[in-house]
Amino acid sequence: ENLTNNVDPFPDVTAATRIDFEFQRRDGLQVHGRVSLPVGYVEGEKVPAIFWTYPREYERPELYENAVVRSRNKNAFTHMSWLRWSDLWLTQGYALVYPDIPIIGENYNDTYIGNLVDAMYAAIRAVDGLDVIDIDRIGHGGHSYGAFATANVLANAPYFKAGIAGDGAYNRSLTPAGFQAERRIIWEAPHTYVEMSPFFRADQIDTPLLMYHGGDDNNTGTFPVQSRRMIHALTTLGKTAVLYEYPYESHTPRAIENKLDMWGRFIGWFDEYVKGAGASAVSEEASGQGAAAPVAGRR
C-alpha cells in the first residue's frame, strides 16, 4: 500500500546524468568521485565544471576504503542544497564534480598539502578522460573546511580559473589550540600550522577568489576575522578578490534573501571567470541589489 504521495519538486535536476568514477592518487590510493552533468546536457559536448570539495582525515588507507562503501549510495535521492555540492549549478550550464579528498596519515595534517594537491590533480585527469568536461573551464568552491581547502588549492596549484570560499579559516595561527581533526596545539607542530595556512601563501594566489562570511559566525574555527585578514592580504597584494559579509548570519546563511543574493554573486563570478560568458554586467547589477556589501575587494 502506498502510504505517501511525495512529489519531486525538481524533476529535471533529479533526472540529471551522474557518473561515478575512480582515480588513483600518486601514492597509489584508489579514490572515488562523482560528476553530475547539467540539466539538458547534450551527448558529446564538453561543459564547464565546478569542483566542490571537503577533505576528510583517516589514519590508514583502509579506513577511507571502508568509508567509501558507506557513503556511495547510488540509490539515494539527491537533496537540493543551497551550499556545498548544490545541484543548483546544474541549472546554470555547469557540471558539478565532487571528488573525495582523503588526508591519510597518523598525524593527518603533516601530509595535508601533498594529499590535497595530488588528489585534485588525479581527479582532474580522470574527469578529463570522461570527455564531458571542458578542462580549460573549471572552478573550485568550498564551505567552511572546504573553503580552507579551496584557498589552499589556489595557493598551491594552477588548475582552476576561479574560486569561491565561504565561512572559512585561512590562518591557523588564529586557531592555536587545534582545528578540525588536528590534535596538536600550535606549539607542538608550528611548521604544520604555517604550512597549512593559505594566508601565508596569499602571494601565490593568482586565481580570482570570491569569499563570503556570516558576520556573526560563532564557529570557533571560523570567526569572521579569518576572512577579513585574508581579504586584507589579497587586496594588499593586488589580487583579484572580494569578500561579502552577511550581517546577523552565523556559520551557514539562513535567510532566503541572503541565499538568493549569495547565489547571484556565485553564478556571476563563475560565469565571468570560468564560463567566460562576460557576466560583468550581471555581477555589477547583483552588487547593487543584494543584502550584503563587499567588505573589501579588487576586481
Side-chain angles (χ1 to χ4, degrees), residues 19-283:
I19 305 171
D20 289 313
F21 65 98
E22 297 182 16
F23 57 94
Q24 190 174 62
R25 209 165 60 180
R26 187 168 58 170
D27 60 2
L29 184 69
Q30 199 72 12
V31 186
H32 297 251
R34 172 171 290 183
V35 176
S36 298
L37 296 177
V39 172
Y41 174 75
V42 177
E43 190 73 27
E45 71 176 350
K46 291 189 176 184
V47 297
I50 308 304
F51 283 63
W52 205 270
T53 60
Y54 192 99
R56 298 190 185 280
E57 301 89 346
Y58 306 90
E59 289 187 356
R60 303 185 306 278
E62 55 267 27
L63 295 178
Y64 165 68
E65 294 163 1
N66 293 338
V68 169
V69 174
R70 295 194 300 271
S71 64
R72 296 287 170 183
N73 184 354
K74 297 183 179 180
N75 298 314
F77 180 80
T78 303
H79 175 63
M80 179 69 83
S81 166
W82 287 94
L83 282 174
R84 303 174 177 88
W85 49 91
S86 177
D87 281 349
L88 285 172
W89 288 112
L90 307 185
T91 70
Q92 303 300 313
Y94 293 92
L96 184 63
V97 184
Y98 187 67
D100 289 343
I101 306 293
I103 309 299
I104 309 291
E106 184 176 349
N107 289 319
Y108 327 101
N109 291 327
D110 289 348
T111 61
Y112 176 87
I113 297 298
N115 282 181
L116 174 70
V117 174
D118 286 352
M120 199 61 63
Y121 175 66
I124 290 171
R125 291 193 62 181
V127 168
D128 191 26
L130 298 175
D131 288 328
V132 294
I133 302 300
D134 181 352
I135 216 66
D136 292 323
R137 292 190 295 164
I138 57 175
H140 192 283
H143 180 81
S144 191
Y145 201 53
F148 176 64
T150 297
N152 265 311
V153 168
L154 301 188
N156 291 280
Y159 308 140
F160 297 99
K161 296 296 185 183
I164 293 174
D167 288 273
Y170 310 102
N171 181 350
R172 286 305 174 190
S173 71
L174 298 177
T175 56
F179 57 90
Q180 199 71 7
E182 178 55 62
R183 296 165 292 194
R184 299 164 297 178
I185 60 177
I186 192 171
W187 296 275
E188 295 172 322
H191 177 75
T192 296
Y193 273 67
V194 172
E195 178 75 13
M196 290 183 70
S197 298
F199 175 84
F200 295 111
R201 297 190 180 187
D203 59 322
Q204 297 177 203
I205 297 178
D206 296 319
T207 304
L209 178 61
L210 181 153
M211 294 188 294
Y212 65 92
H213 214 118
D216 291 321
D217 187 347
N218 63 357
N219 182 38
T220 56
T222 58
F223 288 147
V225 66
Q226 291 275 0
S227 289
R228 294 169 187 165
R229 293 290 181 265
M230 189 65 176
I231 193 63
H232 188 198
L234 293 170
T235 302
T236 298
L237 292 163
K239 306 295 184 176
T240 301
V242 66
L243 165 64
Y244 295 100
E245 280 195 24
Y246 289 92
Y248 311 114
E249 293 283 17
S250 187
H251 191 58
T252 300
R254 299 294 184 184
I256 187 66
E257 296 85 355
N258 287 340
K259 291 178 178 178
L260 291 170
D261 177 82
M262 182 176 67
W263 272 93
R265 300 181 192 279
F266 285 2
I267 294 165
W269 190 260
F270 275 178
D271 277 357
E272 182 171 357
Y273 293 111
V274 176
K275 187 184 288 183
S280 298
V282 175
S283 300

Side-chain angles (χ1 to χ4, degrees), residues 280-291:
S280 298
V282 175
S283 300
E284 291 169 5
E285 183 179 356
S287 67
Q289 297 178 352

